[in-house]
Amino acid sequence: MIHPILQNTIFLFTVMFIFSTAHGAPDVPANFDGWITDALAKLETDGITGGFHRQTAPLSRAEVAQIIRQAESRIRAGSVIPSEIDRKLLEKLKRAFRRELADSDGRRIAFLPQLRATEKKIAPALETAFHWTAGTLKPPSAPRLTLYSEFEAHNFESPPLDGKTAGQRLERWRGEYTMDFKRSYLQVNGTHLNLLVGRDWIFWGASRYKTVGISDNSPPFDQVRLTGTFGKRLKATAFTTQLDSTWYDDGTKRYLAKRYMSGHRLDYQYNDRVEIGVAEWILYGGDAQTLEWKYANPFTFYYALQYNAKADDNVMFAVDAAIRPIDGVRLYAEWVIDDIQYESDSNDPHAVAWILGLTWYPQHLDRQLGIHSEYARVNRWAYTHLDPDNQFTHFGYAIGHPISNDSDTLRLSASYQFTVSAAAEVRAVLTRHGEGSIVDRFYGEDYDSLPFPTGVVARTTEIGGRFSYRPLDAWNIFLSYAWHHTRNSEHRNRETNQRHKLMFQLGYYL
């Protein structure tokens, strides 16, 4: 029997679903929404969970359950004493993952009807997820199976694409609504191996926001992914995916390029305070291109394969590391090599990207206040490639950092965890965009004489904040505001532009 208030709420959302439209909206995944990822990151920084491989995401629900068990074991052993807010966050995680902690079978269908609003319009949206599990990880039983499917419907506009993509990921339907399965996969969890087949995100790097390697800036990938854990210290991941198709047209030749990407990564946890990751991935495409099985092999090195084959595929390397010198402080760095010139007679520039960051939760403030700073830089020719089929994009979005190339950004923010469900953040972000773009090619320019960023630099200042209230099964609220001011807008000298972005989201978990 549905409560009368809930009936009225569903009716209200249904009516608004039919008659309303809007622009833009926050993107909150139903399975791993923001509070879970934030809680795990905070507990790890504060030393509660001990080390885990947080730099390779997303984590499976089985992995999160193991992290919770590890945190409880550390608390029982007296190796760590959590603050009041950390203890409550851990208890909330235990309630959210109670089925995984009990290793029990089951299924759940979650509905999240939402009312989303901006400074211009207001409209409803809907997220729903189906989650089914069977089996157990306790030996000698069979592996644990997970079937997960996450669906979203909204009529909010997406950012424009680059014009080269053959088809958009989201097409308009009735009432200007778009409907998409953001994540949908079958996962087989064994004691040491994890196989995922389907659509999911990939996020490789040490940053909590966006990485300069493979991030969630582009739409999720349809992929096959294999993950292996070897004891507590070592984790290996490999995947293969087909990217969107792109048009090639140089005026004399025109074709639809099929594009693919494979990657593998190794995470090493030196101890509870030091985590190091290395990764390599390769992007390739072209006329009549098919899957290259040599790249789908997770145990080979892509650079050697494409070098020996004299192929001009886009191989990239990444190294990232994080260290917690004391509980409550985390320092991290990322470095991505798109192209580095190790031969002395080379006349090409280095194409690299990197991040430096710091997170601090002061102990004398009961770990409720967080101070965060991060600097990210992507050089002029990073993410680009001489073969336009091999540029580092998926459905028109950079797979790496959203600032794309020839840009850098400095982010300063402070967060405060009022209660286990209520949190707020204020931020200031300074970004510089040069005239270089991801579709550029290096044609022998005198790169040593070029400044960074290049050309007329657009300089954007962003000041904003957000507030979220997210209990497990009740009303949830998300509110954010940002003011953007850009000098040299559109790379025109003394051209200024400013805009306000206000977003409000109200939903109810069923």
Side-chain angles (χ1 to χ4, degrees), residues 80-94:
V80 63
I81 300 175
S83 65
E84 183 68 14
I85 193 65
D86 286 345
R87 182 184 61 80
K88 291 180 178 179
L89 283 172
L90 184 60
E91 288 299 317
K92 185 178 180 182
L93 284 170
K94 288 169 60 178

Side-chain angles (χ1 to χ4, degrees), residues 416-437:
Y416 195 83
Q417 192 81 39
F418 294 98
T419 68
V420 70
S421 297
E425 180 187 80
V426 293
R427 67 183 180 277
V429 184
L430 307 175
T431 304
R432 300 185 300 172
H433 290 280
E435 291 188 11
S437 75

Side-chain angles (χ1 to χ4, degrees), residues 240-298:
T240 290
T241 180
Q242 182 173 353
L243 302 176
D244 67 305
S245 299
T246 58
W247 286 110
Y248 177 86
D249 189 353
D250 62 0
T252 60
K253 185 178 182 181
R254 175 179 169 85
Y255 62 82
L256 184 64
K258 297 291 186 181
R259 305 166 68 241
Y260 301 85
M261 185 169 68
S262 293
H264 45 208
R265 177 180 170 90
L266 195 64
D267 288 275
Y268 177 67
Q269 186 179 311
Y270 179 74
N271 54 34
D272 283 335
R273 297 188 179 275
V274 179
E275 176 86 11
I276 301 170
V278 293
E280 181 192 32
W281 56 86
I282 187 164
L283 194 156
Y284 56 98
D287 187 15
Q289 177 69 59
T290 59
L291 175 67
E292 296 282 359
W293 288 102
K294 64 177 179 286
Y295 294 145
N297 185 340

Side-chain angles (χ1 to χ4, degrees), residues 19-239:
F19 293 109
S20 299
T21 58
H23 294 281
D27 186 17
V28 182
N31 190 22
F32 280 103
D33 58 14
W35 82 264
I36 293 177
T37 307
D38 287 340
L40 289 172
K42 184 180 187 308
L43 292 173
E44 191 270 342
T45 302
D46 290 345
I48 308 304
T49 63
F52 65 88
H53 301 295
R54 63 175 279 191
Q55 292 166 214
T56 298
L59 299 169
S60 70
R61 295 186 69 89
E63 288 176 306
V64 176
Q66 182 57 38
I67 294 167
I68 295 172
R69 294 189 187 102
Q70 179 175 295
E72 288 192 299
S73 177
R74 289 168 57 84
I75 293 172
R76 285 196 302 268
S79 58
V80 63
I81 300 175
S83 65
E84 183 68 14
I85 193 65
D86 286 345
R87 182 184 61 80
K88 291 180 178 179
L89 283 172
L90 184 60
E91 288 299 317
K92 185 178 180 182
L93 284 170
K94 288 169 60 178
R95 295 196 304 273
F97 289 82
R98 58 188 179 276
R99 288 189 177 90
E100 286 76 14
L101 292 170
D103 234 356
S104 62
D105 297 348
R107 66 179 181 270
R108 184 186 181 212
I109 301 177
F111 293 95
L112 179 56
Q114 302 166 20
L115 183 65
R116 298 178 178 179
T118 69
E119 70 276 12
K120 295 181 179 179
K121 294 185 179 180
I122 186 170
L126 175 68
E127 290 186 69
T128 181
F130 173 77
H131 182 216
W132 171 83
T133 56
T136 175
L137 292 176
K138 296 178 181 177
S141 300
R144 185 176 180 87
L145 301 179
T146 298
L147 178 61
Y148 182 76
S149 190
E150 180 180 311
F151 175 81
E152 182 180 49
H154 64 81
N155 63 351
F156 289 32
E157 291 183 355
S158 300
L161 303 182
D162 62 358
K164 296 289 186 179
T165 300
Q168 293 197 22
R169 180 62 170 267
L170 299 177
E171 294 291 346
R172 298 290 178 180
W173 196 58
R174 299 293 181 87
E176 291 297 304
Y177 268 79
T178 57
M179 302 183 183
D180 189 33
F181 287 91
K182 295 193 298 181
R183 304 172 74 188
S184 189
Y185 56 79
L186 175 67
Q187 194 168 28
V188 183
N189 287 100
T191 306
H192 300 289
L193 288 178
N194 175 332
L195 174 66
L196 182 145
V197 180
R199 177 174 294 181
D200 198 14
W201 303 99
I202 295 178
F203 192 95
W204 287 358
S207 172
R208 173 64 185 91
Y209 305 104
K210 300 291 182 182
T211 74
V212 288
I214 300 178
S215 79
D216 58 357
N217 184 55
S218 69
F221 305 103
D222 295 301
Q223 61 184 287
V224 176
R225 188 171 76 224
L226 183 66
T227 303
T229 54
F230 308 93
K232 179 183 176 181
R233 293 194 174 186
L234 207 58
K235 179 177 181 178
T237 308
F239 76 92

Side-chain angles (χ1 to χ4, degrees), residues 308-385:
N308 290 333
K310 296 184 178 180
D312 192 19
D313 300 324
N314 192 0
V315 182
M316 302 173 71
F317 302 90
V319 179
D320 50 71
I323 182 172
R324 292 190 302 106
I326 59 173
D327 289 345
V329 175
R330 181 173 183 262
L331 305 170
Y332 59 90
E334 300 177 15
W335 189 41
V336 169
I337 306 168
D338 189 358
D339 191 14
I340 193 164
Q341 306 307 316
Y342 55 84
E343 297 178 349
S344 58
D345 60 346
S346 173
N347 293 318
D348 294 344
H350 298 307
V352 299
W354 48 277
I355 283 179
L356 293 175
L358 163 70
T359 294
W360 176 35
Y361 292 98
Q363 184 176 13
H364 63 279
L365 295 175
D366 298 325
R367 311 287 195 200
Q368 289 181 272
L369 175 68
I371 306 296
H372 318 274
S373 64
E374 181 177 284
Y375 175 77
R377 168 172 169 157
V378 184
N379 281 1
R380 168 72 184 265
W381 285 280
Y383 301 165
T384 69
H385 198 268

